[in-house]
Amino acid sequence: MPALELLSALGHEEVILVRDESAGLRAVIAIHDTTLGPAAGGTRMQPYPSIDGALVDALRLSKAMTAKAAMAGVERGGGKAVIVGDPSRDKSRALLQAFARVVERLGGRFHTGPDVGIDGRDAAVMARHTRHVSFTAEGASVTVADLTALGVLEAMRSVARRLGGELRGLRVALQGLGQVGLRLARLLAGEGVRLTVCDVDARRAERATAELDASRVAPDEIYDVEADVFSPNALGGVLSDATLPRLRVQAVCGAANEQLEEPRHGDELHRRGILYAPDYVVNAGGLLSLLFELGEVDEEGIVRRVTGIGERVSELLERAVQEAAPPFRVADGIVEERLREARAAHGRP
Ligand code: NAI
């Protein structure tokens, strides 16, 4: 769908196109919905082939942030920023400063932090020019990736229970061994899960295989692995026409954002009897970490909140069984209901 059609279809409040020639900055800031609070969402930097591609990504990811916050009970709205460029080549101090100044001009309507291609050091550079950025401090005892992985672990525990078992002995095919994927793999291995892993970075896959006593497959073979759960922790859009017929698992549960290429793929998973734990419920640890970064919750409190993702997933899966509906449809319904109630309470249409 072209970006402008998508914009009205997804119901965004505001989208800002940013261009600063002298700093080499081209970016999109998408504010989806601020009913529950100011928009929160990371800033991503990728070499998008066009500004249209960047816009589509920002639109989809910011809508997912609204859903994530609503389901996690965080009083924030959904937003996301994407910067067009190759982080290893195009990222400069001037670019980060120029971007941060735009965030500052929004006056707190959008609060951001690191995402793919933007790390804590970049966020620290931005923080000199805007109050509306946060990140896990250097040397902090828990990082955003730790919390995201912990949330996925607890979600996986609930999925295993729903499948009639426990984590010990569960067979998981895990895609992506980056910041979150490797931490998750370590947690799962510690619980006695049998892992098959892959990463496009062969060295990373090799190291993890040795450390975790896991099996390893080539990146494209992960969809064919016979296992209990497929855990996507790399890219979005991995549940598609191309991959669905190949899956030989009973469930899907992972950290990647926007796993369904289109909503119909979630319906198709349901039709095939594959339990899909909705990405934005499972990976909410990343958003919850914001409360820790801002000092609203201490370490013990944040670990408790993130561990609660397991309970949330259990309730959702139970309700989906009762309603004979795919869990992601049930979750979308809950989000809509929460936003409707909040709008009514604020007297908004
Ligand atoms: P990352 O960039 O550190 O790791 C991604 C890993 O996937 C890399 O090791 C990369 O080599 C690998 N990869 C890329 N394409 C692949 C492919 N086709 N097959 C196998 N491996 C492939 O990213 P990070 O931070 O671990 O995030 C992973 C996913 O989780 C992303 O979708 C992100 O949006 C999502 N997420 C991350 C959060 C965080 O706290 N970092 C929070 C919530 C969601």
Side-chain angles (χ1 to χ4, degrees), residues 235-256:
L235 324 155
V238 290
L239 302 171
S240 67
D241 290 339
T243 61
L244 254 54
R246 294 169 59 184
L247 292 181
R248 293 157 74 207
V249 293
Q250 299 183 66
V252 177
C253 176

Side-chain angles (χ1 to χ4, degrees), residues 44 61 68 80 115-117 144-146 148 175-181 198-201 204 219-220 222-223 232-236 255-257 283-287:
R44 177 175 281 212
L61 291 162
K68 208 178 279 196
K80 198 86 182 182
D115 199 89
V116 179
V144 57
D146 291 328
T148 306
Q175 179 187 48
L177 294 158
Q179 307 254 25
V180 179
C198 77
D199 197 294
V200 285
D201 182 332
R204 206 171 273 186
D220 187 53
I222 197 76
Y223 304 107
N233 300 284
L235 324 155
N257 276 309
N283 69 16
L287 171 66

Side-chain angles (χ1 to χ4, degrees), residues 1-15 32 55 59 63:
M1 193 185 283
L4 283 177
E5 266 178 51
L6 194 64
L7 176 66
S8 60
L10 298 184
H12 283 70
E13 286 180 15
E14 188 177 354
V15 178
H32 177 252
L55 183 53
L59 292 175
K63 181 168 194 287

Side-chain angles (χ1 to χ4, degrees), residues 211-231:
E211 179 194 326
L212 304 168
D213 194 21
S215 306
R216 177 183 161 196
V217 292
D220 187 53
E221 288 168 12
I222 197 76
Y223 304 107
D224 306 311
V225 172
E226 190 175 343
D228 299 304
V229 182
F230 168 51
S231 183

Side-chain angles (χ1 to χ4, degrees), residues 117-241:
I118 296 289
D119 60 25
R121 271 173 313 188
D122 303 326
V125 172
M126 290 185 201
R128 285 190 218 121
H129 302 271
T130 178
R131 290 157 292 164
H132 309 298
V133 64
S134 58
F135 52 96
T136 329
E138 191 87 31
S141 46
V142 282
T143 66
V144 57
D146 291 328
L147 292 169
T148 306
L150 175 64
V152 183
L153 172 78
E154 294 307 323
M156 191 88 78
R157 201 187 299 282
S158 299
V159 166
R161 260 190 231 122
R162 178 53 59 187
L163 297 179
E166 53 177 22
L167 284 177
R168 182 156 297 283
L170 194 77
R171 295 166 307 158
V172 174
L174 191 144
Q175 179 187 48
L177 294 158
Q179 307 254 25
V180 179
L182 182 59
R183 285 171 168 85
L184 174 63
R186 286 182 177 140
L187 292 172
L188 291 170
E191 297 269 354
V193 166
R194 288 151 59 199
L195 289 167
T196 303
V197 299
C198 77
D199 197 294
V200 285
D201 182 332
R203 278 215 329 257
R204 206 171 273 186
E206 217 168 277
R207 260 183 281 144
T209 312
E211 179 194 326
L212 304 168
D213 194 21
S215 306
R216 177 183 161 196
V217 292
D220 187 53
E221 288 168 12
I222 197 76
Y223 304 107
D224 306 311
V225 172
E226 190 175 343
D228 299 304
V229 182
F230 168 51
S231 183
N233 300 284
L235 324 155
V238 290
L239 302 171
S240 67
D241 290 339

Side-chain angles (χ1 to χ4, degrees), residues 37-53:
T43 295
R44 177 175 281 212
M45 182 166 185
Q46 269 179 20
Y48 293 93
S50 68
I51 192 82
D52 213 52

